Amino acid sequence: MLHQWSAQSGQTPREPGHLPESEDLWEQEMEWLRASREPLRSLPYAMMDKRLIRKMREPEGMQMTRWQCWQQKQQTMGQRLGEVARRLAWGFGLWKGALYEIGAALQCPGSHQAQTYIPRFHNQLWNVLTGRAFNNTYLFYGAYWAGPESSSAYSIRLAYLLCPLACLLLCFCGILRRMMKGFLRRPGLGQDYGVPLSAKVFSSWDFCIHLRDAATIKKHEISNEFKVYLEECRRRQQVQQDTPTQRACRLLSYLRVNLLNACLVAGGISAIFWATKYSQDNKEESLFVVLQYLPPGVISLVNFLGPLLFMFLVQLESYPPSIEVNLILIWCVVLKLASLGMFSFSLGQTMLCIGRNKTSCETYGYNACDYQCWENSVGEELYKLIIFNFLLTVAFAFLVTLPRRLLVERFSGRFWTWLGREEFLVPKNVLDIVAGQTVTWMGLFYCPLLPLFQSIFLFLTFYIKKYTLLRNCRTPPRLFRASSSTFFFQLVLLLGLLLAAVPLGFVVSSTHSSWDCGLFTNYSAPWQVVQELVALRLPLSGQRALQYLSSHAFGLPLLWLLSHILTVCIAQSQANARAIHVLRKQLVWQVQEKWRLVEELSRLLQEPGSSESLIPDSPRFRASHPRFSGPGFWSPGSPGPESPARDPSTRTPPWLSSSYPGSRDSPGPRFRFPSGTEL
């Protein structure tokens, strides 16, 4: 009976002198048994007592029907059969329990699985949103498994390891190629070089356009280009006219704004760090459902409020619009990349104990108590970040931007006029795509199918953004030049690639994989499989060649050769830049000569008695109009500049004399091309 178990378990039996106290304890125990939902099979009571407890737990006035009793019996029988099957499966595992016992499997006292306390009909939805529904599928790292390496020609471990690395390398080459393709279009030209305004006026229109909508878009494009050009000219002129005091004040203003923006970035990444740490340290709380999306929510909030605060601080200083756009772009890039970097670092500190001392990490190299398969945990966090960004895009499009447009069109007033439609900022949307691509690169190793999800989300996001742009947004007042910002966005994408590659390189080369899941359970680091396969499948000569390529005997001469090649390339680039600078000066001289010749000709035409000079065969015409082989260069056989008995009115101008720098007979130094041709 219950009181017998109390006596056996060491509790004080009921005695006459302690009857009130024992009755209170008995009532408390019975109340706890009645309110508790702990399974009866886990309670240390006899069968008769368990039947009594079951009757106590039944609601008053409710009697179970025969159908309910039969269902309960079937459920109990199914649970017992399942338990027996699990025990049999465990028993058939050869030496499994013995190996765990010999290998001292890690015991984490007080640790238990996180309980979400979610209603049953919500479980499937939350499992899909958090990635737990796909935890045992090929979406995450832990589902991949392979036996020991053999002499087979294909190795799934090597393929799994080299595919992300090859993908990152191909993306790096593609980004670098696009950057260089745009950079080499203007070699050696300074910032003061630009297409003349006349060329913009007479050559900008595309005469193949025959649709009215396309013509309207082209008109707006040309108009915006003219506005940007005139604004840049005005800003250059204003900078040239500034006094030293004004320049110093502008420099102090830049420093003040940048310091405040740096403080905002530091506060944002600190919030991301503490949010990630809090969500990972409180998995056992009842609000774990909310905490699961705390880091993505804080990252999105920081990336939403940060640009607004940057814009407010920059507008307080009354900068030109082009400078405002540049400052906001730079700080948005810093904020997005810093937030992703801090998120990655906080995950590494929590799961891999980077910078922390934990007993479980000292033995296994990672937090084995809380994260038995830490690669899956990292993949789930990146999966949640991708899902949350897409859901946020959909929510803003249909729950914020669309109602705002409807309210502005429906109501009239000063407030609604001030509010207006939302501005569609191209740089912000491009940076959002770059941030999503960076997260995808970060998850290539932990979540191999994450690029598939990202591709689907990008496909849907394009049409959502298109609808938002055409129906719900308005043109921003700040002008944006896409041609000059393409290189900048490619540079940001390259920085995002490096941000994703550095942690992956650290994990692949220096971090112990999980012992309970994945392909690299028996390796100290995933890169060890490459060394093992090299030792197994390459002949001795190939192994020696690879050892030589990875040794200092090959690295030092290669570094010396690359340094010399880099020196030659830099010298050649500097020589080409000097040649282009001299050629540009000569082009300016030729234009000036032509204008001076026109002025001299107009002056000669206005002099009295100059009618004879207009006859081509007259000596006066020959003396006043020497022959040229090109602008500023004398032709062979033309009369020299020192001809005697020349009329003062037909004297050779000084810019056509042999001492002028553009003259072929000039005694000054000549320009020599790199190929040896002289001017």
Side-chain angles (χ1 to χ4, degrees):
M1 287 302 200
L2 293 174
H3 64 276
Q4 294 177 355
W5 174 81
S6 301
Q8 292 177 2
S9 61
Q11 295 183 4
T12 305
R14 286 182 280 186
E15 298 179 359
H18 299 82
L19 185 60
E21 182 179 358
S22 60
E23 287 182 353
D24 293 340
L25 292 175
W26 177 259
E27 291 179 358
Q28 293 177 4
E29 184 177 2
M30 295 300 293
E31 186 66 27
W32 177 81
L33 289 173
R34 184 182 295 109
S36 176
R37 294 303 174 191
E38 190 172 356
L40 293 177
R41 57 188 177 88
S42 63
L43 296 176
Y45 293 105
M47 187 59 65
M48 296 179 62
D49 296 334
K50 290 183 178 179
R51 291 172 184 170
L52 178 62
I53 295 173
R54 184 183 295 113
K55 292 182 180 180
M56 291 169 49
R57 289 182 177 180
E58 291 180 0
E60 296 182 1
M62 294 291 294
Q63 294 183 356
M64 297 181 61
T65 62
R66 293 182 179 180
W67 173 253
Q68 292 176 346
C69 293
W70 184 82
Q71 282 185 336
Q72 186 175 4
K73 289 181 181 180
Q74 294 297 325
Q75 184 179 3
T76 305
M77 187 178 297
Q79 293 176 355
R80 291 178 181 177
L81 289 176
E83 185 177 356
V84 171
R86 284 193 296 270
R87 290 180 180 178
L88 287 175
W90 179 269
F92 281 112
L94 185 61
W95 305 330
K96 193 170 184 180
L99 289 176
Y100 269 100
E101 184 179 358
I102 294 172
L106 178 66
Q107 299 295 331
C108 301
S111 64
H112 52 275
Q113 296 294 329
Q115 300 180 2
T116 57
Y117 299 100
I118 313 174
R120 182 170 298 178
F121 62 92
H122 286 161
N123 280 342
Q124 295 298 327
L125 176 62
W126 280 110
N127 288 337
V128 170
L129 294 179
T130 59
R132 290 191 174 185
F134 313 105
N135 204 7
N136 297 323
T137 64
Y138 289 118
L139 177 62
F140 294 110
Y141 164 88
Y144 294 86
W145 182 87
E149 292 294 339
S150 60
S151 59
S152 176
Y154 181 78
S155 173
I156 187 174
R157 289 187 177 91
L158 188 63
Y160 190 93
L161 178 62
L162 294 184
C163 282
L165 301 180
C167 181
L168 293 178
L169 182 61
L170 290 177
C171 291
F172 175 77
C173 295
I175 295 172
L176 199 63
R177 177 177 175 272
R178 294 193 64 181
M179 290 177 63
M180 293 299 103
K181 185 178 180 181
F183 181 74
L184 293 176
R185 290 179 180 177
R186 298 186 301 170
L189 300 178
Q191 295 182 354
D192 57 343
Y193 177 79
V195 180
L197 187 60
S198 58
K200 292 180 181 292
V201 173
F202 296 106
S203 304
S204 297
W205 186 254
D206 186 3
F207 291 94
C208 297
I209 295 176
H210 60 280
L211 296 177
R212 183 177 298 274
D213 294 338
T216 304
I217 294 174
K218 189 64 177 179
K219 289 178 182 179
H220 287 298
E221 180 184 352
I222 297 174
S223 175
N224 290 336
E225 191 172 359
F226 286 154
K227 291 178 182 178
V228 172
Y229 178 80
L230 296 175
E231 180 185 343
E232 290 180 353
C233 293
R234 183 181 60 82
R235 184 170 59 85
R236 289 199 197 100
Q237 185 178 6
Q238 183 179 1
V239 169
Q240 292 176 357
Q241 295 176 355
D242 286 344
T243 61
T245 304
Q246 293 176 341
R247 294 178 182 175
C249 293
R250 185 182 295 109
L251 179 60
L252 292 176
S253 175
Y254 286 160
L255 292 176
R256 180 172 62 253
V257 171
N258 290 329
L259 182 61
L260 293 175
N261 289 337
C263 294
L264 290 177
V265 171
I269 61 177
S270 300
I272 293 170
F273 173 77
W274 290 112
T276 307
K277 185 176 183 301
Y278 183 78
S279 65
Q280 297 296 325
D281 293 342
N282 295 273
K283 284 188 173 182
E284 302 173 2
E285 299 292 334
S286 59
L287 294 178
F288 178 53
V289 175
V290 180
L291 296 179
Q292 281 181 334
Y293 273 90
L294 183 61
V298 173
I299 291 175
S300 300
L301 184 63
V302 168
N303 290 329
F304 175 73
L305 294 179
L308 296 180
L309 295 176
F310 297 158
M311 191 181 303
F312 176 73
L313 292 176
V314 171
Q315 288 179 352
L316 287 179
E317 302 295 334
S318 300
Y319 292 137
S322 58
I323 296 181
E324 286 186 7
V325 173
N326 292 334
L327 284 176
I328 295 171
L329 268 179
I330 291 173
W331 282 109
C332 287
V333 169
V334 172
L335 182 63
K336 286 185 177 293
L337 296 182
S339 61
L340 291 178
M342 179 55 66
F343 180 66
S344 177
F345 174 76
S346 57
L347 289 180
Q349 190 182 40
T350 305
M351 301 178 186
L352 303 179
C353 304
I354 299 176
R356 300 173 63 183
N357 295 323
K358 272 196 173 184
T359 306
S360 60
C361 293
E362 294 176 357
T363 306
Y364 293 88
Y366 60 94
N367 190 352
C369 289
D370 300 329
Y371 305 96
Q372 295 181 358
C373 189
W374 64 268
E375 291 91 350
N376 274 19
S377 300
V378 175
E380 288 178 6
E381 294 296 329
L382 299 176
Y383 171 84
K384 287 187 289 186
L385 195 58
I386 291 290
I387 292 289
F388 189 81
N389 289 338
F390 176 72
L391 295 179
L392 198 64
T393 301
V394 176
F396 262 92
F398 296 103
L399 300 180
V400 177
T401 309
L402 178 60
R404 179 177 175 180
R405 191 258 296 179
L406 295 177
L407 291 174
V408 169
E409 291 179 352
R410 176 66 178 81
F411 299 100
S412 61
R414 184 174 300 178
F415 172 75
W416 301 107
T417 304
W418 170 81
L419 183 62
R421 294 188 179 187
E422 183 182 350
E423 297 179 2
F424 189 87
L425 301 177
V426 176
K428 176 184 177 299
N429 289 274
V430 174
L431 292 180
D432 291 340
I433 297 175
V434 171
Q437 184 62 43
T438 304
V439 175
T440 305
W441 283 329
M442 293 171 65
L444 284 176
F445 183 78
Y446 315 101
C447 189
L449 298 183
L450 190 62
L452 177 62
F453 282 83
Q454 178 65 9
S455 301
I456 296 174
F457 292 157
L458 281 178
F459 179 80
L460 298 176
T461 302
F462 172 78
Y463 290 100
I464 294 173
K465 294 288 186 180
K466 178 184 177 182
Y467 171 78
T468 304
L469 171 65
L470 298 179
R471 299 295 300 273
N472 303 329
C473 291
R474 60 186 173 92
T475 305
R478 297 175 184 81
L479 299 176
F480 170 72
R481 175 175 287 183
S483 59
S484 61
S485 301
T486 303
F487 181 84
F488 174 75
F489 289 132
Q490 294 293 332
L491 180 62
V492 175
L493 195 61
L494 182 62
L495 294 177
L497 179 63
L498 296 178
L499 179 64
V502 170
L504 180 59
F506 172 76
V507 167
V508 167
S509 61
S510 305
T511 305
H512 200 294
S513 301
S514 300
W515 290 91
D516 298 329
C517 65
L519 295 169
F520 308 100
T521 55
N522 299 323
Y523 295 90
S524 59
W527 189 254
Q528 188 182 0
V529 71
V530 178
Q531 303 173 357
E532 178 182 346
L533 291 176
V534 167
L536 284 176
R537 301 181 183 179
L538 282 184
L540 186 60
S541 58
Q543 297 181 24
R544 290 178 179 176
L546 288 179
Q547 289 177 1
Y548 174 73
L549 291 177
S550 60
S551 63
H552 295 289
F554 177 78
L556 293 178
L558 180 64
L559 182 62
W560 177 82
L561 179 63
L562 291 177
S563 63
H564 277 269
I565 293 176
L566 184 61
T567 303
V568 172
C569 291
I570 292 176
Q572 185 69 25
S573 176
Q574 292 178 353
N576 293 337
R578 288 194 297 268
I580 291 174
H581 181 68
V582 173
L583 288 175
R584 289 179 61 189
K585 280 190 173 181
Q586 289 188 356
L587 181 62
V588 173
W589 290 341
Q590 291 180 8
V591 173
Q592 291 177 354
E593 286 183 32
K594 291 179 181 179
W595 281 107
R596 289 172 181 172
L597 286 174
V598 171
E599 293 177 358
E600 181 66 18
L601 179 61
S602 61
R603 186 183 62 82
L604 292 175
L605 290 175
Q606 293 176 359
E607 291 181 357
S610 59
S611 59
E612 185 182 357
S613 62
L614 299 178
I615 302 175
D617 295 334
S618 62
R620 191 180 183 90
F621 181 86
R622 293 177 180 176
S624 59
H625 296 80
R627 289 177 294 175
F628 294 90
S629 61
F633 299 96
W634 290 90
S635 63
S638 60
E642 303 295 336
S643 301
R646 179 171 298 174
D647 188 80
S649 62
T650 60
R651 184 175 56 190
T652 303
W655 53 84
L656 297 180
S657 63
S658 59
S659 60
Y660 188 69
S663 174
R664 182 181 293 270
D665 299 330
S666 174
R670 295 182 178 179
F671 173 76
R672 181 183 296 273
F673 284 98
S675 60
T677 306
E678 294 183 356
L679 283 180

